[in-house]
Amino acid sequence: MKQFTKVLAAIALIVGMSSAMQAQSKVAHINSQSLVEAMPSYKTAMSELEKLQKSYDADISGMGNELQKTLERYNREAETQTDEENQRRMSEVQDTRSNIVKYQQTAMQKLEVKQQELIKPILEEARLAIQKAARAKGYEFVLDSTPGAGGVLMADGYDLMADAKAALGI
């Protein structure tokens, strides 16, 4: 009878341990920022944003140069103009400065909107690739190990980077 109890206890222990082992989740990690930055669509989007930024910068620089030339001309001609005319010109310069600042702010807003518009589908594509790779490998959770993301203190699990890149074809 003692033998039977020991065998029963051993079976219960084995069944309990196997249940506990099955209850553990498989966890992997990935630096999602690095994955996104490796995607060709991200590089294309960043190139497009850079071109747009340069265009806005050139416009603002051109407006600033024109303002500078106008201001220099007005300063040279100030002694030959009436006080009312000089006052009108200074008001014009202030208005132009204000318009340049408004244009700069509008350009920044448009650039941010364009960035969101371009990046959102890329992030979704990366998320789906990570999900596909994780499911193929049987991982239940994938933690983001991007520095500063705050989601991982230690990332010793399986790194899905190579699998996610393969899913993206990169």
Side-chain angles (χ1 to χ4, degrees):
M1 190 63 154
K2 249 184 174 178
Q3 290 262 343
F4 179 73
T5 323
K6 287 182 181 179
V7 170
L8 189 59
I11 291 173
L13 185 62
I14 292 171
V15 169
M17 287 181 67
S18 67
S19 296
M21 300 262 300
Q22 288 176 353
Q24 291 180 352
S25 300
K26 288 182 73 177
V27 179
H29 69 91
I30 187 168
N31 183 326
S32 63
Q33 181 179 346
S34 293
L35 175 65
V36 168
E37 289 173 357
M39 295 170 64
S41 54
Y42 177 80
K43 293 173 183 175
T44 302
M46 288 297 104
S47 176
E48 186 176 332
L49 287 172
E50 188 176 322
K51 286 178 188 175
L52 186 59
Q53 174 72 46
K54 286 180 180 179
S55 171
Y56 286 138
D57 288 345
D59 291 346
I60 293 167
S61 179
M63 288 188 277
N65 290 339
E66 283 300 314
L67 176 62
Q68 187 63 33
K69 289 176 186 176
T70 302
L71 189 56
E72 288 171 1
R73 183 171 52 90
Y74 285 174
N75 284 336
R76 280 193 315 270
E77 297 171 354
E79 291 182 22
T80 62
Q81 301 297 317
T82 64
D83 286 343
E84 294 86 28
E85 182 63 19
N86 283 334
Q87 201 64 1
R88 185 193 63 74
R89 286 179 168 192
M90 291 315 287
S91 177
E92 180 185 320
V93 166
Q94 289 299 330
D95 288 345
T96 303
R97 282 184 180 151
S98 177
N99 288 338
I100 291 171
V101 169
K102 285 179 188 174
Y103 180 81
Q104 191 174 23
Q105 290 170 343
T106 301
M108 295 271 291
Q109 290 170 349
K110 286 181 179 180
L111 201 57
E112 286 178 24
V113 167
K114 185 68 171 177
Q115 181 179 11
Q116 291 298 320
E117 181 182 300
L118 292 173
I119 298 299
K120 186 176 180 179
I122 296 168
L123 294 176
E124 181 64 13
E125 182 182 6
R127 186 188 69 76
L128 291 173
I130 291 168
Q131 189 177 49
K132 179 181 176 182
R135 285 185 177 151
K137 293 284 186 175
Y139 289 100
E140 295 176 19
F141 298 97
V142 178
L143 304 175
D144 191 354
S145 60
T146 301
V152 175
L153 297 175
M154 190 165 99
D156 286 337
Y158 184 81
D159 189 348
L160 280 174
M161 181 63 74
D163 300 304
K165 282 184 176 181
L168 288 169
I170 54 174

